[in-house]
Amino acid sequence: MPQTIRVLLDSALDRPLDYSVPIAFEGRVGVGSRVRVPLKNRVVLGTVMAVLENSEVKNQKPMAALLGERPLLSPSILKLAKWMSAYYLCPEEVALRSVLPQAVRGAKVTHKEKKAVELAVEVSPEEIAKVAARSPKQAAVLAAVVRSGGAVEVTALEEEVGGGAASAVAALVKKKFLREKFVRVGRDPGASETYLPSLPLELNGEQAAALSAVCRAIEDPEKAKPILLHGVTGSGKTEVYLQAAEYALGAGKSALVLVPEISLAPQTVERFKSRFSGRQDEVAILHSHLSEGERHDEWFKIHSGKARVVIGARSAVFSPLTNLGIIIVDEEHEASYKQEEMPKYHARDLAVMRSTAEPCAVLLGSATPSTESYCNAVSGKYELVNLTVRADERNLPVIRILDMRVQRRRSGPESLFSHPLEQAIRERLEKREQSILFLNRRGHSTSLICSVCGHVCKCPDCSVSLTYHREVDRVLCHVCGHGAKAPKKCPECSDPSIRFSGAGTQKVEEFVRRIFPQARVARMDADTMGRKDAYRETLGKFKAGGIDILIGTQMIAKGLHFPNVTLVGIVNADVGLHVPDFRASEKTFQLLTQVAGRAGRGEEDGEVMVQTFTPFAPAIQFARHHDFVGFWEQEREFREQFQYPPFVRMILLTVRSPREDLAEFAAQTIRRRLEEAVPERTILGEVCPAPLTKAKGSFRYQIALRAPKDVPLRACIRKTLDPKRLPMPEDVFLSIDVDPYSLL
Ligand code: ADP
Ligand code: ZN
């Protein structure tokens, strides 16, 4: 009886197809294998979802090829993908597509191989001497291969015996002393780096208690709850992660560490690499700067079981580690864990899911946990562990709020800095201490307004104003990337008096250079950090004291540790605070706390200055007092009273179309259908234009749904919006976001 496999094709077909397994592949194909199968007159890629002994379908076509000897997807990863498809309301093949990196899934990138040679026969010293008499080079090559006792890469022989090795090899192959062989070589992105080994630090009492809770969970994951580690900035959370990972390795298990993409480049990775420098081969790093080849090799290094510690961003949650001991999610509150395209998953939530399926320990860490996670900890769903003091016993920095409504009157409307902030920077320069200036907005001026007719320069394809970038003298759209030469006069009324308003980081840099010409200044934002190594270089220079003032966006807010920074200036704390998003306050509180945490990590105490026009906003006041719990309490009350997550479950529907009337009409139709179908106590929002009304040429309309329970709500949406029952007209697209993070 031939075997039958049920294959889900990568291209959307929305149902699996059955194929027979030819004898050559029998016993090698299993659930989770990746295969090539015929479809019409093409051959396409798919995933084996099941192996059946009997299939109804007659005359199945045989599968064409098998990728890899072992299934590329383990049962637990397959299970995670299925859960993701059901929870985030996306087709299974879309979920499956995201669990394998493109470099592995597409099967176009392969292992890199190098030419090597090995002995074809036994070779005695006498024979080598005989060869030497005619060709010393050939003898040297032969001797080197004999010494190696295995296969030697030809390039290595060239290094060992010098030029001419290749032709000597060719001659020896011809004489049948050697035979050629291809050996697999890893493309190791970190091969050229060396890390000084670091030893585990002696933990303080709080850290030790945290670690022992984590070790208990690693030992007995079935009984353990997810652990939420709430530790103030500088409390030594990373040290706890390191020792927890070491403990898992010691117990013969593996460890997965998720970090926000932003902190992958520099310090966190370095700390892991240093701690595990003795076993560098066992560490794999997955981040967005890898080449396709490197990503492919890192993935197979994990899949083969060689790498047992993985550090990566969001999608690393799908790493094919086996015998997983712990998943660590650093900065669990970070928005970058949420994927903003299909499938719109949240990596922290997937980590928790995966930890129950494996099972393994899960550790969520943050100085500013998300309201959701902290609610889970308080309700007992998670175990809460606190680190309340800085590990090095330093004080948390003093935070001073500068009311810009008052300060502006003194310093003038042209000045970006209030008098106290300017003075504080000056003092640091005199004392040769370092300052960080933070503004979460890149570019020079965030809008260009004509002072005669009031015209604002907007992107033709998006409903946002264009940002002026002085270095290139262009205006750019930060949504779609559209760019144009900066206008010299108003495009509307041709008057030359166009005003540049709203400061971005470039303007801050310009301003700083003007008032502190003697200072050494650097800027870090998406515009200056395009190059792969720019991040590392600038941070290295700052750390070495080669920069006095570092200006940046959120890129410099997280995870960095610079002992000589004694001043952090937040140029405008209101950016992001007054946007239509129920998380605006939470996000601002988190960012302020994180940025403030960069100050005072050395001998000298740190000072933080926050410039704001709304000094009494709770996010600003609680951040000032380092009062996370106070902030959380009022945030929780607000969410409960106004029915926001986690007190309700939220799903956001966005309908977009290049034609505005079509988008709105389709949204209205959807809403009417939902009106009849939604479960009891659902709050079904009105159809309204999205805050970002138009993006990349498409008009966007939204419907928000909130309900006390997620299961009936999801079931209703799945049924009502099934494309078979409610097909979208041409040029209209519907996207479903479960537990949305960005409401724009
Ligand atoms: P967090 O991740 O909580 O912000 P870090 O892990 O960056 O904190 O720790 C801050 C600093 O304290 C680091 O320089 C770290 O090496 C140091 N540190 C951590 N734990 C200890 C300890 N037990 N004893 C001494 N120094 C420590
Ligand atoms: Zn645009």
Side-chain angles (χ1 to χ4, degrees):
M1 186 72 194
Q3 263 185 336
T4 294
I5 47 174
R6 185 151 288 174
V7 179
L8 193 59
L9 307 184
D10 287 5
S11 51
L13 259 192
D14 97 81
R15 76 193 158 84
L17 298 175
D18 288 354
Y19 291 89
S20 65
V21 179
I23 309 233
F25 296 119
E26 238 166 61
R28 290 159 60 198
V29 185
V31 174
S33 289
R34 295 276 296 163
V35 290
R36 289 187 201 276
V37 292
L39 180 73
K40 300 212 176 96
N41 47 8
R42 291 179 303 147
V43 174
V44 297
L45 287 165
T47 307
V48 178
M49 303 304 285
V51 180
L52 315 166
E53 292 311 331
N54 287 305
S55 167
E56 262 88 272
V57 189
K58 294 273 179 296
N59 302 327
Q60 291 156 357
K61 287 192 200 161
M63 60 172 274
L66 172 67
L67 308 179
E69 278 307 303
R70 247 175 2 101
L72 295 189
L73 293 157
S74 67
S76 78
I77 297 289
L78 266 182
K79 198 167 154 191
L80 197 61
K82 283 185 179 170
W83 182 84
M84 182 158 68
S85 145
Y87 187 85
Y88 293 105
L89 298 169
C90 71
E92 254 179 40
E93 63 271 7
V94 174
L96 274 173
R97 243 183 275 158
S98 63
V99 307
L100 287 177
Q102 169 62 28
V104 174
R105 183 162 43 85
K108 289 215 180 69
V109 182
T110 50
H111 292 284
K112 188 168 153 193
E113 293 191 325
K114 270 191 161 171
K115 203 157 125 181
V117 281
E118 63 185 1
L119 288 180
V121 288
E122 292 257 330
V123 177
S124 64
E126 292 76 40
E127 272 170 306
I128 295 181
K130 248 196 262 163
V131 173
R134 303 193 42 198
S135 163
K137 188 108 283 166
Q138 288 180 20
V141 166
L142 203 51
V145 177
V146 169
R147 271 199 304 279
S148 81
V152 193
E153 285 171 26
V154 177
T155 45
L157 287 171
E158 263 161 6
E159 265 168 42
E160 203 171 330
V161 305
S167 54
V169 163
L172 289 165
V173 170
K174 214 164 166 192
K175 291 183 196 158
K176 301 218 158 42
F177 279 115
L178 299 179
R179 68 171 157 246
E180 284 182 347
K181 183 182 182 180
F182 283 86
V183 292
R184 196 179 273 190
V185 289
R187 283 160 284 216
D188 180 357
S192 60
E193 295 152 18
T194 49
Y195 293 93
L196 294 177
S198 75
L199 291 173
L201 300 172
E202 197 178 317
L203 300 182
N204 66 29
E206 285 183 337
Q207 285 174 312
L211 181 65
S212 71
V214 179
C215 295
R216 271 199 305 279
I218 294 172
E219 287 297 334
D220 195 357
E222 312 235 2
K223 282 215 203 85
K225 296 174 187 173
I227 297 171
L228 178 64
L229 178 63
H230 172 216
V232 298
T233 55
S235 59
K237 294 182 289 296
T238 313
E239 187 62 32
V240 176
Y241 305 155
L242 287 166
Q243 298 198 19
E246 265 182 308
Y247 185 87
L249 289 190
K253 299 181 178 185
S254 58
L256 171 57
V257 186
L258 301 183
V259 299
E261 180 67 43
I262 246 169
S263 45
L264 256 179
Q267 288 180 327
T268 311
V269 170
E270 219 157 274
R271 285 167 79 175
F272 271 85
K273 286 224 162 176
S274 301
R275 187 61 54 87
F276 297 106
S277 64
R279 47 210 310 177
Q280 212 150 4
D281 274 359
E282 292 179 70
V283 181
I285 314 262
L286 300 168
H287 60 73
S288 62
H289 276 316
L290 297 183
S291 69
E292 289 284 276
E294 286 170 345
R295 190 181 307 278
H296 172 273
D297 287 0
E298 290 291 285
W299 193 90
F300 276 100
K301 193 167 138 188
I302 305 166
H303 183 251
S304 69
K306 193 169 158 204
R308 297 200 299 139
V309 180
V310 175
I311 305 163
R314 185 172 66 219
S315 63
V317 71
F318 305 114
S319 297
L321 284 160
T322 50
N323 200 7
L324 199 47
I326 185 167
I327 309 177
I328 296 166
V329 185
D330 184 26
E331 313 278 10
E332 67 85 27
H333 65 278
E334 262 290 311
S336 67
Y337 285 124
K338 171 83 174 173
Q339 171 146 301
E340 291 299 348
E341 60 219 55
M342 282 255 272
K344 302 190 173 191
Y345 67 85
H346 197 298
R348 173 201 60 218
D349 298 342
L350 284 183
V352 171
M353 266 319 289
R354 185 170 176 181
S355 77
T356 51
E358 292 273 343
C360 67
V362 64
L363 175 62
L364 314 176
S366 176
T368 51
S370 60
T371 308
E372 286 85 348
S373 293
Y374 206 76
C375 282
N376 279 332
V378 170
S379 75
K381 219 170 131 188
Y382 293 173
E383 180 179 351
L384 180 62
V385 180
N386 293 299
L387 303 179
T388 57
V389 292
R390 282 194 156 178
D392 42 17
E393 286 161 4
R394 304 262 173 261
N395 296 321
L396 282 169
V398 176
I399 301 183
R400 208 171 139 192
I401 308 291
L402 298 165
D403 184 344
M404 291 306 275
R405 296 170 303 180
V406 181
Q407 297 291 339
R408 267 254 166 123
R409 264 176 252 144
R410 290 178 52 198
S411 58
E414 285 309 307
S415 176
L416 294 177
F417 302 148
S418 58
H419 187 68
L421 178 57
E422 189 180 324
Q423 202 48 39
I425 300 172
R426 196 176 307 280
E427 272 168 33
R428 296 314 186 289
L429 286 172
E430 277 158 15
K431 287 197 281 182
R432 308 219 124 257
E433 292 171 6
Q434 292 173 302
S435 306
I436 286 180
L437 295 176
F438 172 81
L439 178 61
N440 208 11
R441 214 154 53 174
R442 66 194 172 90
H444 182 275
S445 306
T446 48
S447 54
L448 275 72
I449 305 169
C450 171
S451 27
V452 173
C453 75
H455 174 80
V456 178
C457 291
K458 283 199 167 168
C459 174
D461 295 326
C462 310
S463 57
V464 293
S465 55
L466 295 168
T467 298
Y468 176 59
H469 286 246
R470 171 153 291 173
E471 280 148 352
V472 288
D473 196 31
R474 285 171 78 79
V475 285
L476 302 176
C477 170
H478 285 187
V479 173
C480 73
H482 164 89
K485 254 192 92 48
K488 296 287 170 256
K489 52 187 190 199
C490 174
E492 199 60 30
C493 73
S494 299
D495 196 277
S497 55
I498 226 167
R499 255 184 329 119
F500 292 70
S501 70
T505 43
Q506 282 181 17
K507 194 168 192 170
V508 175
E509 181 185 1
E510 195 179 279
F511 191 75
V512 167
R513 289 189 192 276
R514 195 163 75 231
I515 58 175
F516 304 115
Q518 75 283 19
R520 294 164 302 167
V521 180
R523 192 180 92 224
M524 280 180 74
D525 54 31
D527 297 314
T528 59
M529 294 297 126
R531 220 160 28 85
K532 187 174 164 181
D533 295 321
Y535 199 84
R536 189 188 300 273
E537 280 166 23
T538 308
L539 289 180
K541 197 165 163 205
F542 190 53
K543 194 164 196 177
I547 295 167
D548 301 312
I549 302 173
L550 182 66
I551 299 160
T553 54
Q554 57 174 340
M555 206 173 258
I556 59 169
K558 317 247 158 74
L560 304 176
H561 181 75
F562 301 111
N564 201 31
V565 172
T566 55
L567 174 69
V568 169
I570 293 166
V571 179
N572 183 354
D574 306 338
V575 175
L577 188 53
H578 309 290
V579 294
D581 175 350
F582 71 90
R583 286 196 184 85
S585 177
E586 176 181 16
K587 287 176 183 168
T588 301
F589 174 82
Q590 289 165 345
L591 205 50
L592 292 182
T593 306
Q594 296 287 348
V595 185
R598 299 313 110 213
R601 287 177 158 241
E603 296 295 318
E604 299 299 322
D605 276 353
E607 188 181 17
V608 179
M609 292 195 172
V610 180
Q611 301 193 143
T612 171
F613 286 94
T614 51
F616 298 107
I620 291 173
Q621 283 301 324
F622 283 109
R624 173 190 179 188
H625 293 107
H626 306 286
D627 186 3
F628 170 80
V629 176
F631 176 79
W632 172 79
E633 275 171 355
Q634 69 91 38
E635 184 68 16
R636 195 193 64 113
E637 233 166 69
F638 154 72
R639 303 253 187 122
E640 187 165 17
Q641 190 180 348
F642 292 96
Q643 296 281 292
Y644 281 114
F647 296 95
V648 291
R649 306 306 291 259
M650 187 166 179
I651 294 181
L652 184 68
L653 308 178
T654 305
V655 181
R656 66 189 157 83
S657 170
R659 280 185 47 194
E660 183 162 19
D661 55 341
L662 283 186
E664 188 178 3
F665 183 76
Q668 294 291 4
T669 310
I670 289 173
R671 190 177 184 283
R672 261 195 314 279
R673 295 286 178 90
L674 285 171
E675 217 163 15
E676 298 150 16
V678 290
E680 253 178 83
R681 290 167 56 211
T682 300
I683 306 170
L684 176 60
E686 295 297 329
V687 169
C688 53
L692 184 59
T693 320
K694 189 182 173 199
K696 302 179 188 174
S698 282
F699 292 89
R700 308 165 75 248
Y701 278 80
Q702 289 184 335
I703 305 168
L705 293 104
R706 290 174 284 165
K709 292 222 157 34
D710 66 318
V711 179
L713 182 62
R714 273 207 316 272
C716 151
I717 288 192
R718 190 181 300 114
K719 205 167 134 205
T720 317
L721 302 187
D722 183 338
K724 284 194 210 85
R725 300 175 50 157
L726 187 65
M728 287 293 125
E730 205 178 326
D731 270 355
V732 178
F733 304 91
L734 166 68
S735 90
I736 304 174
D737 193 351
V738 178
D739 303 337
Y741 233 76
S742 162
L743 305 182
L744 295 181

